[in-house]
Amino acid sequence: MSDQSSYTPPTVWTWDSKSGGQFANINRPIAGATHDKDLPVGRHPLQLYSLATPNGVKVTVMLEELLALGHEGAEYNAWLINIGDGDQFSSGFVEANPNSKIPALWDRSGDKPVRVFESASILFHLAEKFGAFLPASGPERTEVMNWVFWQMGSAPYLGGGFGHFYAYAPEKWEYPINRFAMETKRQLDVLDRELAEKTFIAGEDYSIADMAIWPWYGQLVLGRLYSAAEFLDVESYRNVMRWAKAIDARPAVQRGRMVNRAFGEPHTQLHERHDASDFETRTQDKLEAAAE
């Protein structure tokens, strides 16, 4: 790798497919499908195509929380999209999300299927559809939406910024790590100050704002992202830690974290979810034992 301090950008940038980094094999400067493949469709009204990254976990947590409230219409099929293998570039997935990012949802509950992409859009769609986890009107609704959009604008600095340069870049470079560590800690301080005065991020009620923020910042302080908890001194954000642990203890959150998970301990992985009983019968540890 060349000395980054001596790099002079060319007049016109061109794509170097050998640029390095953990995800170099799937990154490219063009959109569209790379291969023809239809998406599978199950029996439920909601069809989710995802992976248990923080953005994917937002939606599976929401769906499991809705089911826990008794919303039978929130039953869903969750299909694994392995982004490392390029599943997101299939023709079927590009039809669901032309941006080729997980998660993507087809809502087939009406006369005509509706595609929903971008995690915040999916959360909002489901909250509106079932009348849950989002106030119907007024300042309380606006505050929830404030924090949903805060997360969408802030987390790229945590993931694509700090996470990339701290954990995934081919070499460790001081400037970008310091730059994005500073911003990540500033964001944690924003959350910590807000959570000093209230139970959840938008007030006293659990909402889609918590579901949007927790998979990123909650899991960060719980030591599940980038092996960076000590580096970022996450224990110093006591209010964020209290909030993160409280949400982590919710049974629906524990189930949501498992769905479309293809890494970690086998008993935490439910690659596909088609029925509530799958949590008891189709985790990877049970499937592997059955195959022996």
Side-chain angles (χ1 to χ4, degrees):
M1 185 66 65
S2 63
D3 179 5
Q4 295 299 300
S5 64
S6 65
Y7 174 68
T8 300
T11 302
V12 178
W13 183 85
T14 56
W15 180 28
D16 179 3
S17 60
K18 298 180 181 179
S19 59
Q22 182 167 334
F23 301 105
N25 65 314
I26 60 170
N27 291 334
R28 59 194 182 114
I30 54 175
T34 61
H35 59 285
D36 289 328
K37 185 178 181 180
D38 293 334
L39 292 176
V41 179
R43 63 186 176 90
H44 295 304
L46 301 175
Q47 300 293 307
L48 178 67
Y49 305 92
S50 192
L51 181 70
T53 65
N55 286 333
V57 167
K58 296 175 193 176
V59 177
T60 50
V61 163
M62 175 64 162
L63 288 165
E64 291 298 326
E65 293 281 13
L66 288 168
L67 290 170
L69 283 181
H71 292 285
E72 295 180 2
E75 270 295 352
Y76 68 105
N77 295 91
W79 305 93
L80 181 66
I81 299 296
N82 192 326
I83 61 176
D85 292 344
D87 292 350
Q88 70 275 33
F89 300 119
S90 73
S91 57
F93 193 89
V94 171
E95 181 183 5
N97 182 0
N99 197 38
S100 291
K101 302 289 184 182
I102 62 93
L105 178 78
W106 278 104
D107 183 344
R108 297 177 176 272
S109 60
D111 295 335
K112 182 179 179 181
V114 175
R115 71 177 185 183
V116 195
F117 59 87
E118 290 295 333
S119 56
S121 181
I122 298 174
L123 291 177
F124 183 75
H125 176 82
L126 294 172
E128 290 275 272
K129 183 181 182 72
F130 295 102
F133 303 114
L134 176 64
S137 62
E140 294 81 9
R141 178 186 178 89
T142 299
E143 184 68 358
V144 170
M145 298 309 294
N146 287 341
W147 286 105
V148 170
F149 287 108
W150 176 89
Q151 185 277 316
M152 296 298 285
S154 298
Y157 292 98
L158 168 57
F162 174 76
H164 175 78
F165 286 105
Y166 184 80
Y168 302 138
E171 295 180 13
K172 303 293 186 187
W173 297 311
E174 183 178 4
Y175 174 78
I177 290 175
N178 283 348
R179 168 68 180 86
F180 291 113
M182 177 176 64
E183 175 60 13
T184 297
K185 289 180 69 65
R186 189 194 68 80
Q187 293 173 4
L188 287 170
D189 193 44
V190 169
L191 294 173
D192 202 61
R193 290 168 185 264
E194 288 289 320
L195 288 164
E197 304 297 332
K198 48 195 176 182
T199 303
F200 297 105
I201 193 58
E204 294 309 303
D205 295 326
Y206 180 56
S207 72
I208 59 171
D210 300 287
M211 297 178 205
I213 295 169
W214 182 87
W216 283 103
Y217 297 89
Q219 294 201 103
L220 177 69
V221 301
L222 293 173
R224 296 174 185 158
L225 290 184
Y226 313 127
S227 300
E230 182 178 9
F231 180 76
L232 295 171
D233 188 24
V234 298
E235 292 288 346
S236 65
Y237 303 99
R238 296 178 182 177
N239 301 312
V240 178
M241 188 67 73
R242 182 268 307 162
W243 166 85
K245 289 179 178 179
I247 293 176
D248 192 50
R250 296 177 69 91
V253 172
Q254 295 171 9
R255 291 192 297 273
R257 286 188 62 231
M258 295 172 64
V259 179
N260 296 145
R261 186 176 174 88
F263 47 88
E265 293 296 321
H267 73 279
T268 70
Q269 299 183 34
L270 183 62
H271 289 189
E272 294 183 358
R273 187 262 193 219
H274 304 295
D275 186 84
S277 64
D278 291 346
F279 291 102
E280 302 299 327
T281 63
R282 296 192 61 79
T283 52
Q284 280 304 106
D285 59 326
K286 294 182 176 64
L287 294 181
E288 291 170 5
E292 292 178 355

